[in-house]
Amino acid sequence: MSNERLLTIKELKQLINKNDTGLLFCFGTSLISRIIQAKTKLNNKEVVPSHVAIIYQGKFLYESTSQPQEYKNKTIPAGVRRYLLTDFYNIEKNKGTKYYFFPCDIHESELEYYVHYPYGKDLILDFLLTNGSDGVSDGLICSQYVNKCSGLMEMKCPSPAVLYRFITSNMKEM
């Protein structure tokens, strides 16, 4: 997939309707995002996401992340979390992140079950220091959580790039 199909936060906001549910792939520009992308792309030309989240019913964003987020008078905790999509739009509006939305079914019971789980810091270290992870941890990284909720792949701990490749390669076959 090329860059021209990726959306800005403004375009994403215009695209998402009140009943939309699916995966949100994030192509970040921060140092950690670039490291994750470099470690998970297959070649120098491939463009891969550094993060993946879930948009649920056009109202909520579910994700797993390592850092809490301060927004207005709220603290959105680290780990697996749920917050308003409108807050996500406002937090992200001045960042250079690009997005790709993939509509799909989500297992609601899994979505809520893992909220408040810690972030899988040991898993992200596996990805950064080696070439993958066995998925064994007390916490969840973003792509592991998303995969549990979507059931798209049988892998225990795919990276955001692996999930993205799986979706985009299967879309070509449709």
Side-chain angles (χ1 to χ4, degrees), residues 81-146:
R81 62 194 189 182
R82 169 192 64 244
Y83 60 107
L84 292 173
L85 189 57
T86 53
D87 288 349
F88 173 77
Y89 292 147
N90 287 321
I91 291 165
E92 293 289 306
K93 71 181 173 188
N94 294 321
K95 296 181 181 178
T97 304
K98 299 287 185 185
Y99 306 90
Y100 177 76
F101 179 69
F102 176 74
C104 68
D105 292 333
I106 298 295
H107 306 298
E108 291 178 34
S109 60
E110 299 285 304
L111 193 64
E112 285 296 322
Y113 178 81
Y114 293 105
V115 170
H116 304 302
Y117 262 57
Y119 182 72
K121 290 179 181 169
D122 52 337
L123 297 177
I124 202 67
L125 284 174
D126 286 349
F127 277 107
L128 295 177
L129 300 176
T130 65
N131 288 325
S133 176
D134 62 6
V136 177
S137 174
D138 290 332
L140 298 172
I141 61 170
C142 62
S143 50
Q144 186 181 28
Y145 171 62
V146 164

Short mmCIF file of all heavy atoms in Angstrom, two decimals, residues 81-146:
data_model
loop_
_atom_site.label_atom_id
_atom_site.label_comp_id
_atom_site.label_asym_id
_atom_site.label_seq_id
_atom_site.Cartn_x
_atom_site.Cartn_y
_atom_site.Cartn_z
N ARG A 81 -6.66 0.42 27.07
CA ARG A 81 -7.55 1.50 27.50
C ARG A 81 -8.63 1.78 26.46
O ARG A 81 -8.50 1.46 25.29
CB ARG A 81 -6.74 2.76 27.77
CG ARG A 81 -6.00 3.29 26.54
CD ARG A 81 -4.97 4.30 26.93
NE ARG A 81 -4.38 4.99 25.79
CZ ARG A 81 -3.42 5.89 25.89
NH1 ARG A 81 -2.94 6.22 27.08
NH2 ARG A 81 -2.93 6.48 24.83
N ARG A 82 -9.70 2.41 26.96
CA ARG A 82 -10.82 2.83 26.12
C ARG A 82 -11.05 4.31 26.42
O ARG A 82 -11.08 4.72 27.58
CB ARG A 82 -12.07 2.02 26.50
CG ARG A 82 -13.36 2.53 25.89
CD ARG A 82 -14.60 1.89 26.52
NE ARG A 82 -14.71 2.24 27.93
CZ ARG A 82 -14.64 1.38 28.95
NH1 ARG A 82 -14.46 0.11 28.75
NH2 ARG A 82 -14.74 1.81 30.19
N TYR A 83 -11.18 5.09 25.37
CA TYR A 83 -11.54 6.49 25.58
C TYR A 83 -12.31 7.01 24.37
O TYR A 83 -12.44 6.31 23.35
CB TYR A 83 -10.35 7.35 25.96
CG TYR A 83 -9.19 7.44 24.98
CD1 TYR A 83 -8.96 8.59 24.24
CD2 TYR A 83 -8.30 6.39 24.83
CE1 TYR A 83 -7.89 8.69 23.38
CE2 TYR A 83 -7.22 6.48 23.98
CZ TYR A 83 -7.01 7.64 23.25
OH TYR A 83 -5.95 7.73 22.40
N LEU A 84 -12.82 8.21 24.50
CA LEU A 84 -13.66 8.77 23.43
C LEU A 84 -12.85 9.05 22.18
O LEU A 84 -11.74 9.60 22.25
CB LEU A 84 -14.33 10.06 23.90
CG LEU A 84 -15.38 9.92 24.99
CD1 LEU A 84 -15.83 11.30 25.47
CD2 LEU A 84 -16.57 9.10 24.50
N LEU A 85 -13.41 8.69 21.05
CA LEU A 85 -12.74 8.93 19.77
C LEU A 85 -12.54 10.44 19.54
O LEU A 85 -11.52 10.84 18.99
CB LEU A 85 -13.57 8.31 18.64
CG LEU A 85 -12.94 8.27 17.27
CD1 LEU A 85 -11.60 7.54 17.28
CD2 LEU A 85 -13.89 7.59 16.28
N THR A 86 -13.47 11.25 20.01
CA THR A 86 -13.32 12.70 19.87
C THR A 86 -12.08 13.20 20.63
O THR A 86 -11.38 14.10 20.15
CB THR A 86 -14.57 13.47 20.35
OG1 THR A 86 -14.89 13.04 21.68
CG2 THR A 86 -15.76 13.20 19.43
N ASP A 87 -11.79 12.61 21.78
CA ASP A 87 -10.58 12.97 22.52
C ASP A 87 -9.34 12.55 21.72
O ASP A 87 -8.36 13.29 21.64
CB ASP A 87 -10.55 12.31 23.90
CG ASP A 87 -11.55 12.93 24.88
OD1 ASP A 87 -12.11 14.01 24.56
OD2 ASP A 87 -11.75 12.34 25.95
N PHE A 88 -9.39 11.36 21.13
CA PHE A 88 -8.28 10.88 20.29
C PHE A 88 -8.02 11.86 19.15
O PHE A 88 -6.88 12.24 18.89
CB PHE A 88 -8.60 9.49 19.74
CG PHE A 88 -7.60 8.99 18.74
CD1 PHE A 88 -6.36 8.51 19.13
CD2 PHE A 88 -7.90 9.00 17.38
CE1 PHE A 88 -5.45 8.04 18.20
CE2 PHE A 88 -6.99 8.54 16.44
CZ PHE A 88 -5.77 8.06 16.86
N TYR A 89 -9.07 12.29 18.46
CA TYR A 89 -8.90 13.25 17.36
C TYR A 89 -8.20 14.52 17.84
O TYR A 89 -7.31 15.04 17.18
CB TYR A 89 -10.25 13.64 16.75
CG TYR A 89 -10.97 12.55 16.01
CD1 TYR A 89 -12.36 12.49 16.02
CD2 TYR A 89 -10.29 11.58 15.26
CE1 TYR A 89 -13.05 11.51 15.32
CE2 TYR A 89 -10.97 10.60 14.57
CZ TYR A 89 -12.36 10.57 14.60
OH TYR A 89 -13.03 9.61 13.90
N ASN A 90 -8.61 15.03 18.99
CA ASN A 90 -8.01 16.26 19.53
C ASN A 90 -6.57 16.06 19.96
O ASN A 90 -5.73 16.94 19.75
CB ASN A 90 -8.86 16.80 20.68
CG ASN A 90 -10.15 17.42 20.18
OD1 ASN A 90 -10.18 18.08 19.16
ND2 ASN A 90 -11.23 17.18 20.90
N ILE A 91 -6.27 14.93 20.57
CA ILE A 91 -4.90 14.64 21.00
C ILE A 91 -3.98 14.52 19.79
O ILE A 91 -2.84 14.99 19.79
CB ILE A 91 -4.86 13.35 21.85
CG1 ILE A 91 -5.55 13.59 23.20
CG2 ILE A 91 -3.44 12.84 22.03
CD1 ILE A 91 -5.89 12.32 23.97
N GLU A 92 -4.46 13.91 18.73
CA GLU A 92 -3.64 13.61 17.55
C GLU A 92 -3.58 14.74 16.51
O GLU A 92 -2.77 14.68 15.60
CB GLU A 92 -4.19 12.35 16.85
CG GLU A 92 -4.04 11.10 17.67
CD GLU A 92 -2.61 10.63 17.76
OE1 GLU A 92 -1.95 10.45 16.72
OE2 GLU A 92 -2.12 10.43 18.90
N LYS A 93 -4.39 15.77 16.65
CA LYS A 93 -4.55 16.75 15.57
C LYS A 93 -3.29 17.48 15.13
O LYS A 93 -3.19 17.88 13.99
CB LYS A 93 -5.67 17.74 15.88
CG LYS A 93 -5.37 18.73 16.97
CD LYS A 93 -6.56 19.64 17.20
CE LYS A 93 -6.32 20.52 18.39
NZ LYS A 93 -7.50 21.27 18.74
N ASN A 94 -2.31 17.63 16.00
CA ASN A 94 -1.09 18.36 15.60
C ASN A 94 0.11 17.44 15.39
O ASN A 94 1.24 17.91 15.33
CB ASN A 94 -0.76 19.43 16.65
CG ASN A 94 -1.81 20.52 16.67
OD1 ASN A 94 -2.32 20.92 15.63
ND2 ASN A 94 -2.15 20.98 17.85
N LYS A 95 -0.14 16.15 15.29
CA LYS A 95 0.94 15.19 15.05
C LYS A 95 1.00 14.87 13.56
O LYS A 95 0.04 15.06 12.83
CB LYS A 95 0.70 13.90 15.85
CG LYS A 95 0.74 14.13 17.35
CD LYS A 95 0.52 12.83 18.09
CE LYS A 95 0.52 13.06 19.59
NZ LYS A 95 0.26 11.81 20.32
N GLY A 96 2.11 14.35 13.12
CA GLY A 96 2.28 14.01 11.70
C GLY A 96 1.87 12.59 11.36
O GLY A 96 2.17 12.10 10.27
N THR A 97 1.17 11.93 12.27
CA THR A 97 0.77 10.55 12.06
C THR A 97 -0.22 10.44 10.90
O THR A 97 -1.09 11.29 10.73
CB THR A 97 0.13 9.99 13.36
OG1 THR A 97 1.06 10.14 14.42
CG2 THR A 97 -0.26 8.54 13.22
N LYS A 98 -0.09 9.36 10.13
CA LYS A 98 -1.05 9.02 9.07
C LYS A 98 -1.79 7.77 9.51
O LYS A 98 -1.31 7.00 10.36
CB LYS A 98 -0.33 8.75 7.74
CG LYS A 98 0.46 9.93 7.22
CD LYS A 98 -0.44 11.00 6.70
CE LYS A 98 0.40 12.10 6.07
NZ LYS A 98 -0.37 13.21 5.66
N TYR A 99 -2.96 7.52 8.90
CA TYR A 99 -3.84 6.46 9.36
C TYR A 99 -4.41 5.66 8.20
O TYR A 99 -4.59 6.17 7.11
CB TYR A 99 -5.02 7.05 10.16
CG TYR A 99 -4.55 7.91 11.29
CD1 TYR A 99 -4.35 9.28 11.11
CD2 TYR A 99 -4.26 7.36 12.53
CE1 TYR A 99 -3.88 10.07 12.14
CE2 TYR A 99 -3.80 8.15 13.57
CZ TYR A 99 -3.60 9.50 13.37
OH TYR A 99 -3.14 10.27 14.39
N TYR A 100 -4.71 4.42 8.52
CA TYR A 100 -5.44 3.55 7.60
C TYR A 100 -6.51 2.83 8.41
O TYR A 100 -6.19 2.17 9.41
CB TYR A 100 -4.50 2.53 6.94
CG TYR A 100 -5.23 1.57 6.04
CD1 TYR A 100 -5.67 1.98 4.78
CD2 TYR A 100 -5.51 0.28 6.45
CE1 TYR A 100 -6.36 1.11 3.96
CE2 TYR A 100 -6.20 -0.59 5.62
CZ TYR A 100 -6.63 -0.17 4.39
OH TYR A 100 -7.32 -1.03 3.56
N PHE A 101 -7.78 2.95 8.00
CA PHE A 101 -8.88 2.31 8.71
C PHE A 101 -9.36 1.10 7.93
O PHE A 101 -9.62 1.18 6.73
CB PHE A 101 -10.04 3.31 8.91
CG PHE A 101 -11.22 2.70 9.62
CD1 PHE A 101 -11.13 2.34 10.95
CD2 PHE A 101 -12.41 2.49 8.95
CE1 PHE A 101 -12.21 1.76 11.61
CE2 PHE A 101 -13.49 1.91 9.59
CZ PHE A 101 -13.39 1.55 10.93
N PHE A 102 -9.46 -0.03 8.62
CA PHE A 102 -9.94 -1.27 8.04
C PHE A 102 -11.20 -1.71 8.78
O PHE A 102 -11.12 -2.16 9.93
CB PHE A 102 -8.86 -2.36 8.13
CG PHE A 102 -9.33 -3.70 7.63
CD1 PHE A 102 -9.48 -3.92 6.27
CD2 PHE A 102 -9.61 -4.72 8.53
CE1 PHE A 102 -9.91 -5.17 5.82
CE2 PHE A 102 -10.05 -5.96 8.08
CZ PHE A 102 -10.20 -6.18 6.71
N PRO A 103 -12.38 -1.56 8.16
CA PRO A 103 -13.62 -1.99 8.82
C PRO A 103 -13.63 -3.51 9.00
O PRO A 103 -13.31 -4.24 8.07
CB PRO A 103 -14.72 -1.56 7.85
CG PRO A 103 -14.09 -0.64 6.87
CD PRO A 103 -12.63 -0.97 6.84
N CYS A 104 -13.97 -3.96 10.18
CA CYS A 104 -14.10 -5.40 10.43
C CYS A 104 -14.89 -5.64 11.72
O CYS A 104 -15.10 -4.71 12.50
CB CYS A 104 -12.73 -6.08 10.49
SG CYS A 104 -11.72 -5.62 11.91
N ASP A 105 -15.29 -6.87 11.91
CA ASP A 105 -16.01 -7.25 13.12
C ASP A 105 -15.02 -7.35 14.29
O ASP A 105 -13.87 -7.74 14.10
CB ASP A 105 -16.71 -8.59 12.94
CG ASP A 105 -17.86 -8.51 11.94
OD1 ASP A 105 -18.44 -7.41 11.78
OD2 ASP A 105 -18.16 -9.53 11.32
N ILE A 106 -15.51 -7.02 15.45
CA ILE A 106 -14.73 -7.09 16.68
C ILE A 106 -15.51 -7.91 17.70
O ILE A 106 -16.72 -7.74 17.82
CB ILE A 106 -14.47 -5.66 17.24
CG1 ILE A 106 -13.66 -4.82 16.25
CG2 ILE A 106 -13.80 -5.71 18.61
CD1 ILE A 106 -12.25 -5.31 15.99
N HIS A 107 -14.82 -8.78 18.42
CA HIS A 107 -15.45 -9.57 19.49
C HIS A 107 -15.61 -8.66 20.71
O HIS A 107 -14.64 -8.37 21.41
CB HIS A 107 -14.60 -10.78 19.85
CG HIS A 107 -14.26 -11.65 18.68
ND1 HIS A 107 -15.20 -12.29 17.92
CD2 HIS A 107 -13.06 -11.96 18.14
CE1 HIS A 107 -14.61 -12.97 16.96
NE2 HIS A 107 -13.30 -12.79 17.06
N GLU A 108 -16.85 -8.22 20.95
CA GLU A 108 -17.10 -7.27 22.04
C GLU A 108 -16.65 -7.79 23.40
O GLU A 108 -16.15 -7.02 24.22
CB GLU A 108 -18.58 -6.89 22.08
CG GLU A 108 -19.01 -6.07 20.90
CD GLU A 108 -20.48 -5.73 20.92
OE1 GLU A 108 -21.04 -5.55 22.02
OE2 GLU A 108 -21.07 -5.65 19.83
N SER A 109 -16.83 -9.08 23.64
CA SER A 109 -16.46 -9.63 24.95
C SER A 109 -14.94 -9.51 25.17
O SER A 109 -14.49 -9.22 26.28
CB SER A 109 -16.90 -11.08 25.07
OG SER A 109 -16.29 -11.87 24.06
N GLU A 110 -14.14 -9.71 24.14
CA GLU A 110 -12.69 -9.59 24.24
C GLU A 110 -12.30 -8.11 24.40
O GLU A 110 -11.39 -7.79 25.15
CB GLU A 110 -12.00 -10.14 22.98
CG GLU A 110 -12.27 -11.60 22.73
CD GLU A 110 -11.50 -12.50 23.66
OE1 GLU A 110 -10.27 -12.40 23.72
OE2 GLU A 110 -12.15 -13.32 24.33
N LEU A 111 -12.99 -7.25 23.70
CA LEU A 111 -12.70 -5.82 23.71
C LEU A 111 -12.71 -5.28 25.13
O LEU A 111 -11.76 -4.63 25.57
CB LEU A 111 -13.76 -5.11 22.85
CG LEU A 111 -13.54 -3.67 22.46
CD1 LEU A 111 -12.32 -3.54 21.55
CD2 LEU A 111 -14.77 -3.16 21.73
N GLU A 112 -13.76 -5.56 25.85
CA GLU A 112 -13.90 -5.07 27.22
C GLU A 112 -13.11 -5.89 28.24
O GLU A 112 -12.64 -5.35 29.24
CB GLU A 112 -15.37 -5.04 27.63
CG GLU A 112 -16.15 -3.92 27.00
CD GLU A 112 -15.68 -2.54 27.44
OE1 GLU A 112 -15.31 -2.36 28.63
OE2 GLU A 112 -15.67 -1.64 26.60
N TYR A 113 -12.96 -7.17 27.99
CA TYR A 113 -12.29 -8.05 28.93
C TYR A 113 -10.87 -7.57 29.26
O TYR A 113 -10.45 -7.63 30.41
CB TYR A 113 -12.25 -9.49 28.39
CG TYR A 113 -11.53 -10.45 29.29
CD1 TYR A 113 -12.19 -11.01 30.39
CD2 TYR A 113 -10.20 -10.80 29.06
CE1 TYR A 113 -11.53 -11.89 31.24
CE2 TYR A 113 -9.54 -11.68 29.91
CZ TYR A 113 -10.21 -12.22 30.99
OH TYR A 113 -9.56 -13.08 31.83
N TYR A 114 -10.15 -7.10 28.27
CA TYR A 114 -8.75 -6.74 28.45
C TYR A 114 -8.51 -5.29 28.88
O TYR A 114 -7.38 -4.92 29.17
CB TYR A 114 -7.95 -7.04 27.18
CG TYR A 114 -7.86 -8.51 26.90
CD1 TYR A 114 -8.61 -9.10 25.90
CD2 TYR A 114 -7.03 -9.33 27.67
CE1 TYR A 114 -8.53 -10.46 25.65
CE2 TYR A 114 -6.95 -10.69 27.43
CZ TYR A 114 -7.70 -11.25 26.42
OH TYR A 114 -7.63 -12.59 26.19
N VAL A 115 -9.56 -4.46 28.91
CA VAL A 115 -9.38 -3.07 29.35
C VAL A 115 -8.79 -3.09 30.77
O VAL A 115 -9.24 -3.85 31.63
CB VAL A 115 -10.70 -2.28 29.30
CG1 VAL A 115 -10.58 -0.93 29.98
CG2 VAL A 115 -11.15 -2.11 27.84
N HIS A 116 -7.76 -2.29 30.98
CA HIS A 116 -7.01 -2.17 32.23
C HIS A 116 -5.87 -3.18 32.35
O HIS A 116 -5.16 -3.16 33.35
CB HIS A 116 -7.89 -2.18 33.48
CG HIS A 116 -8.94 -1.14 33.47
ND1 HIS A 116 -8.66 0.20 33.36
CD2 HIS A 116 -10.30 -1.24 33.50
CE1 HIS A 116 -9.79 0.89 33.36
NE2 HIS A 116 -10.79 0.04 33.44
N TYR A 117 -5.69 -4.07 31.36
CA TYR A 117 -4.49 -4.92 31.37
C TYR A 117 -3.29 -4.00 31.21
O TYR A 117 -3.37 -2.98 30.53
CB TYR A 117 -4.52 -5.90 30.19
CG TYR A 117 -5.02 -7.29 30.51
CD1 TYR A 117 -6.27 -7.50 31.08
CD2 TYR A 117 -4.24 -8.40 30.22
CE1 TYR A 117 -6.73 -8.77 31.35
CE2 TYR A 117 -4.69 -9.68 30.48
CZ TYR A 117 -5.93 -9.85 31.05
OH TYR A 117 -6.37 -11.12 31.32
N PRO A 118 -2.15 -4.38 31.77
CA PRO A 118 -0.96 -3.55 31.58
C PRO A 118 -0.41 -3.67 30.15
O PRO A 118 -0.75 -4.61 29.42
CB PRO A 118 0.04 -4.12 32.59
CG PRO A 118 -0.40 -5.53 32.80
CD PRO A 118 -1.90 -5.54 32.62
N TYR A 119 0.41 -2.72 29.79
CA TYR A 119 1.10 -2.76 28.50
C TYR A 119 2.19 -3.83 28.56
O TYR A 119 2.88 -3.97 29.57
CB TYR A 119 1.71 -1.39 28.20
CG TYR A 119 2.39 -1.33 26.86
CD1 TYR A 119 1.64 -1.31 25.70
CD2 TYR A 119 3.77 -1.29 26.76
CE1 TYR A 119 2.25 -1.25 24.45
CE2 TYR A 119 4.40 -1.22 25.52
CZ TYR A 119 3.63 -1.21 24.37
OH TYR A 119 4.23 -1.16 23.16
N GLY A 120 2.36 -4.58 27.50
CA GLY A 120 3.37 -5.64 27.44
C GLY A 120 4.75 -5.12 27.11
O GLY A 120 5.25 -5.34 26.01
N LYS A 121 5.37 -4.43 28.07
CA LYS A 121 6.70 -3.84 27.83
C LYS A 121 7.74 -4.88 27.44
O LYS A 121 8.59 -4.64 26.59
CB LYS A 121 7.18 -3.08 29.06
CG LYS A 121 6.39 -1.82 29.31
CD LYS A 121 6.85 -1.08 30.54
CE LYS A 121 5.96 0.14 30.70
NZ LYS A 121 6.11 0.81 31.94
N ASP A 122 7.65 -6.07 28.04
CA ASP A 122 8.61 -7.12 27.68
C ASP A 122 8.41 -7.59 26.24
O ASP A 122 9.36 -7.94 25.55
CB ASP A 122 8.52 -8.29 28.66
CG ASP A 122 7.11 -8.83 28.85
OD1 ASP A 122 6.13 -8.10 28.60
OD2 ASP A 122 6.98 -9.99 29.27
N LEU A 123 7.16 -7.55 25.76
CA LEU A 123 6.90 -7.96 24.38
C LEU A 123 7.47 -6.96 23.39
O LEU A 123 8.04 -7.34 22.36
CB LEU A 123 5.39 -8.09 24.14
CG LEU A 123 4.68 -9.17 24.95
CD1 LEU A 123 3.18 -9.14 24.68
CD2 LEU A 123 5.24 -10.53 24.65
N ILE A 124 7.33 -5.68 23.67
CA ILE A 124 7.86 -4.67 22.75
C ILE A 124 9.38 -4.74 22.74
O ILE A 124 10.01 -4.57 21.69
CB ILE A 124 7.32 -3.25 23.05
CG1 ILE A 124 7.43 -2.34 21.82
CG2 ILE A 124 7.99 -2.61 24.22
CD1 ILE A 124 6.56 -2.73 20.67
N LEU A 125 9.99 -5.06 23.87
CA LEU A 125 11.44 -5.25 23.90
C LEU A 125 11.84 -6.44 23.03
O LEU A 125 12.87 -6.39 22.35
CB LEU A 125 11.94 -5.43 25.32
CG LEU A 125 12.02 -4.15 26.15
CD1 LEU A 125 12.39 -4.46 27.59
CD2 LEU A 125 12.99 -3.16 25.54
N ASP A 126 11.02 -7.51 23.06
CA ASP A 126 11.29 -8.65 22.17
C ASP A 126 11.33 -8.20 20.72
O ASP A 126 12.19 -8.61 19.95
CB ASP A 126 10.20 -9.73 22.31
CG ASP A 126 10.29 -10.53 23.60
OD1 ASP A 126 11.31 -10.41 24.31
OD2 ASP A 126 9.33 -11.26 23.88
N PHE A 127 10.38 -7.36 20.32
CA PHE A 127 10.34 -6.89 18.94
C PHE A 127 11.53 -5.98 18.62
O PHE A 127 12.09 -6.05 17.54
CB PHE A 127 9.03 -6.13 18.64
CG PHE A 127 7.89 -7.04 18.30
CD1 PHE A 127 6.88 -7.25 19.21
CD2 PHE A 127 7.83 -7.70 17.09
CE1 PHE A 127 5.82 -8.10 18.92
CE2 PHE A 127 6.79 -8.55 16.78
CZ PHE A 127 5.78 -8.75 17.70
N LEU A 128 11.89 -5.12 19.56
CA LEU A 128 12.96 -4.17 19.30
C LEU A 128 14.35 -4.81 19.34
O LEU A 128 15.24 -4.42 18.60
CB LEU A 128 12.89 -3.01 20.29
CG LEU A 128 11.64 -2.14 20.19
CD1 LEU A 128 11.66 -1.07 21.26
CD2 LEU A 128 11.52 -1.51 18.81
N LEU A 129 14.52 -5.80 20.21
CA LEU A 129 15.85 -6.39 20.38
C LEU A 129 16.05 -7.69 19.59
O LEU A 129 17.17 -8.08 19.33
CB LEU A 129 16.10 -6.66 21.87
CG LEU A 129 16.06 -5.42 22.76
CD1 LEU A 129 16.24 -5.81 24.22
CD2 LEU A 129 17.10 -4.39 22.34
N THR A 130 14.94 -8.34 19.24
CA THR A 130 15.02 -9.57 18.45
C THR A 130 14.14 -9.41 17.22
O THR A 130 13.82 -8.30 16.83
CB THR A 130 14.59 -10.79 19.29
OG1 THR A 130 13.21 -10.66 19.63
CG2 THR A 130 15.41 -10.91 20.56
N ASN A 131 13.70 -10.50 16.66
CA ASN A 131 12.86 -10.42 15.46
C ASN A 131 11.43 -10.86 15.70
O ASN A 131 10.77 -11.37 14.81
CB ASN A 131 13.48 -11.24 14.33
CG ASN A 131 14.71 -10.57 13.78
OD1 ASN A 131 14.77 -9.35 13.70
ND2 ASN A 131 15.69 -11.35 13.41
N GLY A 132 10.94 -10.70 16.90
CA GLY A 132 9.57 -11.09 17.18
C GLY A 132 9.39 -11.46 18.63
O GLY A 132 10.28 -11.27 19.45
N SER A 133 8.23 -12.00 18.95
CA SER A 133 7.91 -12.36 20.32
C SER A 133 7.05 -13.61 20.34
O SER A 133 6.26 -13.84 19.41
CB SER A 133 7.18 -11.21 21.01
OG SER A 133 6.80 -11.59 22.30
N ASP A 134 7.17 -14.38 21.42
CA ASP A 134 6.31 -15.55 21.56
C ASP A 134 4.96 -15.18 22.18
O ASP A 134 4.07 -16.00 22.30
CB ASP A 134 6.99 -16.63 22.39
CG ASP A 134 7.31 -16.18 23.81
OD1 ASP A 134 6.91 -15.06 24.21
OD2 ASP A 134 7.97 -16.96 24.52
N GLY A 135 4.79 -13.93 22.57
CA GLY A 135 3.51 -13.46 23.10
C GLY A 135 3.27 -13.77 24.56
O GLY A 135 2.19 -13.51 25.07
N VAL A 136 4.26 -14.31 25.26
CA VAL A 136 4.09 -14.64 26.67
C VAL A 136 4.45 -13.42 27.52
O VAL A 136 5.58 -12.96 27.50
CB VAL A 136 4.96 -15.85 27.06
CG1 VAL A 136 4.83 -16.16 28.55
CG2 VAL A 136 4.58 -17.07 26.23
N SER A 137 3.45 -12.89 28.25
CA SER A 137 3.64 -11.68 29.03
C SER A 137 2.47 -11.50 29.98
O SER A 137 1.40 -12.09 29.78
CB SER A 137 3.72 -10.47 28.09
OG SER A 137 3.77 -9.27 28.81
N ASP A 138 2.65 -10.65 30.98
CA ASP A 138 1.54 -10.26 31.85
C ASP A 138 0.72 -9.14 31.23
O ASP A 138 -0.33 -8.78 31.72
CB ASP A 138 2.05 -9.81 33.22
CG ASP A 138 2.60 -10.97 34.03
OD1 ASP A 138 2.15 -12.11 33.81
OD2 ASP A 138 3.48 -10.73 34.86
N GLY A 139 1.23 -8.53 30.16
CA GLY A 139 0.55 -7.43 29.51
C GLY A 139 0.34 -7.70 28.03
O GLY A 139 0.68 -8.77 27.53
N LEU A 140 -0.22 -6.71 27.36
CA LEU A 140 -0.50 -6.82 25.93
C LEU A 140 0.06 -5.62 25.18
O LEU A 140 -0.10 -4.49 25.64
CB LEU A 140 -2.01 -6.88 25.68
CG LEU A 140 -2.79 -8.04 26.29
CD1 LEU A 140 -4.29 -7.82 26.11
CD2 LEU A 140 -2.36 -9.35 25.65
N ILE A 141 0.66 -5.86 24.02
CA ILE A 141 1.02 -4.75 23.14
C ILE A 141 -0.17 -4.50 22.21
O ILE A 141 -1.10 -5.31 22.14
CB ILE A 141 2.32 -5.00 22.35
CG1 ILE A 141 2.21 -6.21 21.45
CG2 ILE A 141 3.51 -5.10 23.31
CD1 ILE A 141 3.37 -6.36 20.46
N CYS A 142 -0.14 -3.39 21.51
CA CYS A 142 -1.29 -2.95 20.71
C CYS A 142 -1.76 -4.02 19.73
O CYS A 142 -2.95 -4.34 19.66
CB CYS A 142 -0.97 -1.65 19.99
SG CYS A 142 0.39 -1.73 18.80
N SER A 143 -0.84 -4.59 18.96
CA SER A 143 -1.23 -5.53 17.92
C SER A 143 -1.71 -6.86 18.50
O SER A 143 -2.57 -7.52 17.91
CB SER A 143 -0.08 -5.74 16.94
OG SER A 143 1.11 -6.04 17.62
N GLN A 144 -1.17 -7.24 19.63
CA GLN A 144 -1.62 -8.47 20.29
C GLN A 144 -3.06 -8.29 20.78
O GLN A 144 -3.91 -9.17 20.57
CB GLN A 144 -0.69 -8.78 21.45
CG GLN A 144 -0.94 -10.09 22.13
CD GLN A 144 0.01 -10.32 23.28
OE1 GLN A 144 0.50 -9.36 23.90
NE2 GLN A 144 0.29 -11.56 23.58
N TYR A 145 -3.35 -7.16 21.39
CA TYR A 145 -4.71 -6.86 21.85
C TYR A 145 -5.68 -6.81 20.68
O TYR A 145 -6.74 -7.45 20.71
CB TYR A 145 -4.70 -5.53 22.62
CG TYR A 145 -6.07 -5.00 22.95
CD1 TYR A 145 -6.94 -5.72 23.77
CD2 TYR A 145 -6.50 -3.78 22.47
CE1 TYR A 145 -8.20 -5.23 24.10
CE2 TYR A 145 -7.74 -3.28 22.79
CZ TYR A 145 -8.60 -4.00 23.60
OH TYR A 145 -9.84 -3.52 23.90
N VAL A 146 -5.33 -6.11 19.64
CA VAL A 146 -6.19 -5.98 18.46
C VAL A 146 -6.45 -7.34 17.83
O VAL A 146 -7.57 -7.65 17.42
CB VAL A 146 -5.56 -4.99 17.45
CG1 VAL A 146 -6.18 -5.11 16.08
CG2 VAL A 146 -5.69 -3.56 17.97
#
